[in-house]
Amino acid sequence: MTPFIAELVGTAVMILLGGGVVANVVLNKTKGNDSGWIVISTAWALAVFVGVNIAAPYSGAHLNCAVTIANLALGKMDLATSLSYISAQFLGAMIGATVVWLVYKNHFDATEDPNAKRAVFCTEPAIRDLPINLISEVVGTFVLIFTILHFTDAKLPDEGIVGLGSIGAIPVAFLVWAIGLSLGGTTGYAINPARDLGPRIMHSILPIKNKAGFDAGYAWVPVLGPIIGALLAVGLNLLIH
């Protein structure tokens, strides 16, 4: 298990479970059809928990280009390593999305709504207003990265054990859950370029009947927004510390 493989597998499993819950909720004739936003946001948080648990011992479990870019901006990674992580994240997201399609293929076939089919793979705004949509992605990712930068270890350097601190993947899952429930209603909270663009590409490639288009007019928002949000979080973190 190398960092590249860890990022690829962790991201693939995260997208498998995250895209899987969207398929379960929005596609026809599933057991979870129309079970709602609480189900989607909760399962996405748990998907992050599972992915982070897989990758953390080997790569630090970025699973998100925004996290990798934040580490690069902080000088914690070199450019070559960052590009390796980002490549693994995109490949993992594409693999995970493809497996979701295989698992739910009969339900894709049973669903007429092309937008519902695309929603399994990528995000779209509830109200299309690109400047506001961009702000939504910036703010959601800012909260993600700024909070991650303030996660603590289980002890203070000079005082020994003081509490649980940030152990494993649990705080990350709660963080993503909070962002989804509170800020996700506008754009679907991609907060991760690989999570949106990788599956969006697979949606355009896979032989899905009556599918919607790539939506290039919006596809840049969940890529650029998280990058801006990550850099703003890094900037504020450097300013106040």
Side-chain angles (χ1 to χ4, degrees):
M1 181 75 89
T2 65
F4 180 90
I5 294 174
E7 286 293 304
L8 188 152
V9 174
T11 306
V13 172
M14 179 182 73
I15 297 300
L16 171 63
L17 298 178
V21 70
V22 179
N24 191 22
V25 171
V26 306
L27 297 180
N28 290 345
K29 299 184 179 181
T30 65
K31 299 288 188 180
N33 179 254
D34 203 28
S35 51
W37 187 249
I38 300 297
V39 171
I40 289 175
S41 57
T42 301
W44 260 110
L46 296 174
V48 171
F49 172 81
V50 174
V52 169
N53 265 300
I54 291 170
Y58 309 98
S59 69
H62 292 189
L63 314 185
N64 184 337
C65 303
V67 175
T68 302
I69 289 169
N71 277 275
L72 176 63
L74 286 167
K76 295 183 177 181
M77 301 180 74
D78 58 45
L79 181 60
T81 303
S82 299
L83 292 175
S84 173
Y85 271 51
I86 290 170
S87 298
Q89 292 154 11
F90 269 96
L91 287 172
M94 295 168 81
I95 291 169
T98 302
V99 178
V100 171
W101 171 71
L102 288 171
V103 170
Y104 280 95
K105 186 180 183 307
N106 290 338
H107 300 276
F108 275 100
D109 293 342
T111 302
E112 293 296 326
D113 184 356
N115 289 327
K117 296 178 185 182
R118 186 174 61 195
V120 174
F121 292 86
C122 54
T123 63
E124 64 178 328
I127 298 175
R128 185 171 293 248
D129 182 338
L130 295 183
I132 298 298
N133 301 152
L134 182 65
I135 289 171
S136 295
E137 288 294 331
V138 169
V139 171
T141 311
F142 175 90
V143 172
L144 175 72
I145 301 301
F146 192 71
T147 306
I148 287 174
L149 292 175
H150 287 83
F151 282 169
T152 60
D153 294 324
K155 59 184 178 181
L156 294 177
D158 300 321
E159 299 181 32
I161 302 295
V162 295
L164 292 177
S166 297
I167 294 178
I170 295 174
V172 183
F174 274 99
L175 173 58
V176 172
W177 197 14
I179 292 170
L181 291 174
S182 300
L183 300 173
T186 55
T187 62
Y189 71 116
I191 59 175
N192 179 351
R195 169 265 176 274
D196 195 273
L197 184 56
R200 189 183 294 271
I201 291 170
M202 293 313 302
H203 170 264
S204 70
I205 294 172
L206 290 170
I208 301 169
K209 299 177 183 176
N210 188 36
K211 62 181 176 181
F214 184 82
D215 195 7
Y218 180 76
W220 61 272
V221 171
V223 173
L224 183 60
I227 293 172
I228 295 172
L231 294 177
L232 289 174
V234 168
L236 181 59
N237 186 69
L238 293 173
L239 183 65
I240 64 178
H241 287 88

